[in-house]
Amino acid sequence: MSKLSLEHLEIRDLLSVASRFDGQVLSLTGNNDTPLHTVLIRPALAAGTIEVVADGVVSTYSTPTAINYLDAAGNSQFTNRAAIAGRITLGDGNQIVNTTAAGSTITAGDGNNFIQALAGNSTIATGNGANNVYGGPGDTITVGSGFNIVYDIFPGNQTVTVAAHAGTDYLFIGPGTTLRGAQPGDRVARFFAPGRTPGSGTLVLEDRTLYFTASNAGDTYVASNFGDQVQVTTISNGRLAQNYFNRADVDLIANFGGSGRDTFINTTTIPDVQYGAGGQNVLIGGRGPLNLLKAGGAASNSVAFGRSPVYNDLAGSGSPATTSVLVGNSGAFNVFRTNSATDVLANRQRNDVVISLFPDLVA
């Protein structure tokens, strides 16, 4: 007669965040009595282990195959540096998620949601609040009827679905993205379409979006008001050019840098999305309702200067070995995204949002 085998189940109470570990799946649950849960998952010093820092309490586990997190009623800042996917389920509070794990499933309610999942092949669904989603290649992203900013410009087969909504959404997507639900008043940029692939050095007005795609020589771009027109001055491959577009035909400015040192300056009130890409870059946003500036510069230090009086979303380099300077507007709402512990965040206000792989180092 064989003996009944019982799998070891480890249950810990991390004060405000409970854990359950069966040897494979680590499940974390925030209680309903704490107004804000801060959870950081990171590799531990010992091989084959991870650390969970939950509301200041540090615990070590054998490396699981999946990590699930549930906070149905509270507010959470959840950061996963361990690159182990799982289910992240959040309620209607104010939620910040930053995960390096490909294949994550993230669900958030009707609050203010800031979700960054760049590793790819994730499924992200949000409710009807204010949603700011940074996605990765192969993602499936569904956002509700509130105010939405979606940034997922990777080449790949992403799907972005937007619920019917009354206001203006900002949807920044890649060449192979399937976009559903966009409305006439939305601001849409589709990067890397034919004729404006990276390094092309082109200036194109298409579907009310003015695209500048830099060459790899290090370009300068300045957009300014000129009566009822937009004047664009460019220096690309050593050649200066000035082009003019009817202001009434331009709803969005979308710039993408090359491998050189690029300078992009918007002096108009047109919203903009700008990515410096390689090189040591300077990005200066306009005075419209949105600046989404991604400094770039994987091997160099770059600057992103948000000047929108409403909403600035500023991202540093993708490399932890660089220092980016991110300058917000003290009279606006700012989102700072940093991948380096040495990044400088200027004009940061109390209600601004910081999305970092090093939340324990960001004061």
Side-chain angles (χ1 to χ4, degrees):
M1 181 176 178
S2 62
K3 294 182 179 180
L4 180 64
S5 176
L6 295 179
E7 184 178 8
H8 174 66
L9 180 65
E10 181 180 352
I11 300 176
R12 305 186 200 178
D13 186 356
L14 307 179
L15 298 181
S16 57
V17 177
S19 72
R20 179 185 178 96
F21 184 46
D22 63 7
Q24 292 185 320
V25 177
L26 173 61
S27 297
L28 305 170
T29 303
N31 67 27
N32 296 336
D33 299 325
T34 302
L36 172 64
H37 295 296
T38 302
V39 178
L40 169 63
I41 301 167
R42 62 193 181 195
L45 293 177
T49 62
I50 64 166
E51 285 184 346
V52 175
V53 185
D55 295 338
V57 179
V58 181
S59 298
T60 303
Y61 299 87
S62 299
T63 301
T65 59
I67 299 173
N68 299 329
Y69 176 66
L70 171 65
D71 184 2
N75 307 308
S76 287
Q77 180 169 351
F78 177 87
T79 305
N80 181 359
R81 291 207 322 250
I84 300 169
R87 297 188 307 274
I88 304 168
T89 306
L90 305 169
D92 292 340
N94 299 318
Q95 317 294 356
I96 301 174
V97 175
N98 186 11
T99 179
T100 62
S104 297
T105 299
I106 304 168
T107 305
D110 292 338
N112 298 315
N113 302 306
F114 300 86
I115 298 172
Q116 181 166 298
L118 301 179
N121 298 315
S122 292
T123 299
I124 302 168
T126 69
N128 299 321
N131 302 301
N132 184 321
V133 179
Y134 249 57
D139 283 355
T140 298
I141 299 171
T142 304
V143 292
S145 61
F147 171 68
N148 299 300
I149 299 172
V150 177
Y151 182 92
D152 192 341
I153 70 171
F154 287 93
N157 298 316
Q158 292 84 255
T159 299
V160 175
T161 303
V162 186
H165 51 280
T168 298
D169 283 357
Y170 293 87
L171 309 169
F172 309 136
I173 57 177
T177 299
T178 299
L179 177 61
R180 302 188 178 104
Q183 298 180 180
D186 294 339
R187 305 294 185 257
V188 179
R190 185 181 290 273
F191 284 87
F192 316 135
R196 41 188 178 81
T197 52
S200 61
T202 54
L203 178 65
V204 178
L205 177 62
E206 183 178 313
D207 296 330
R208 306 189 65 81
T209 297
L210 183 58
Y211 296 91
F212 176 65
T213 307
S215 73
N216 291 320
D219 293 354
T220 297
Y221 166 103
V222 180
S224 55
N225 295 313
F226 190 82
D228 61 355
Q229 296 186 312
V230 178
Q231 174 184 283
V232 178
T233 302
T234 57
I235 303 175
S236 181
N237 285 309
R239 295 187 298 271
L240 185 146
Q242 289 185 321
N243 292 271
Y244 298 86
F245 303 87
N246 290 330
R247 171 63 180 85
D249 295 335
V250 182
D251 287 340
L252 179 68
I253 290 172
N255 297 333
F256 190 86
S259 59
R261 296 186 175 189
D262 296 314
T263 299
F264 297 154
I265 303 173
N266 177 14
T267 68
T268 75
T269 58
I270 301 169
D272 54 61
V273 50
Q274 306 189 58
Y275 185 10
Q280 186 173 359
N281 308 302
V282 176
L283 310 182
I284 301 177
R287 302 190 186 277
L290 174 68
N291 294 167
L292 192 151
L293 309 178
K294 194 171 182 182
S300 301
N301 304 327
S302 296
V303 177
F305 195 139
R307 298 192 297 172
S308 169
V310 181
Y311 198 120
N312 298 283
D313 190 321
L314 311 173
S317 168
S319 170
T322 63
T323 298
S324 299
V325 178
L326 308 178
V327 183
N329 185 340
S330 58
F333 175 71
N334 304 291
V335 180
F336 297 94
R337 302 175 190 267
T338 171
N339 293 312
S340 170
T342 62
D343 282 350
V344 177
L345 313 183
N347 288 344
R348 178 182 167 194
Q349 307 300 301
R350 180 177 181 181
N351 293 325
D352 290 343
V353 168
V354 178
I355 300 174
S356 173
L357 290 176
F358 305 93
D360 47 333
L361 301 180
V362 177

